[in-house]
Amino acid sequence: MKSLVFLSAIALLLASCTAPVVEPIPGSITYGGQPRTKLTKSPVGSRVHNSFRTLNGVAYETYIIEPDRSLKLIRREIRSDYFDQN
């Protein structure tokens, strides 16, 4: 009985968790709104990758195509790709 209560409490805690929202930054495909053109040939759920330079390095972003053909930014990683030139 105790394990059932414990599992129920864990399930309730996990259900209340929300994933952090990744906001677009200058250089993101969706910065300033959705793009004018829609990806009509790509299947819903497909991933789209984008990369661009920032002041801190290179930003690598991952988007997913939603059922309404809009793009949802789901991940961003900024790597400081500084290489020693010696």
Side-chain angles (χ1 to χ4, degrees):
M1 182 66 178
K2 288 183 181 181
S3 63
L4 181 61
V5 172
F6 178 72
L7 289 176
S8 297
I10 294 296
L12 182 62
L13 287 172
L14 289 176
S16 66
C17 293
T18 57
V21 176
V22 183
E23 296 293 332
I25 61 174
S28 299
I29 296 173
T30 56
Y31 183 73
Q34 290 289 324
R36 292 183 186 176
T37 58
K38 300 288 184 183
L39 298 171
T40 56
K41 294 185 179 182
S42 300
V44 170
S46 295
R47 292 178 182 239
V48 177
H49 300 281
N50 180 41
S51 63
F52 55 94
R53 290 208 164 273
T54 67
L55 294 175
N56 301 328
V58 180
Y60 297 92
E61 296 180 328
T62 303
Y63 295 84
I64 192 164
I65 300 176
E66 299 280 59
D68 66 352
R69 313 311 276 171
S70 64
L71 293 174
K72 179 180 179 182
L73 180 58
I74 60 170
R75 182 175 174 276
R76 177 185 306 115
E77 178 182 354
I78 298 180
R79 297 185 204 157
S80 56
D81 292 339
Y82 298 108
F83 298 106
D84 187 10
Q85 300 294 325
N86 294 332

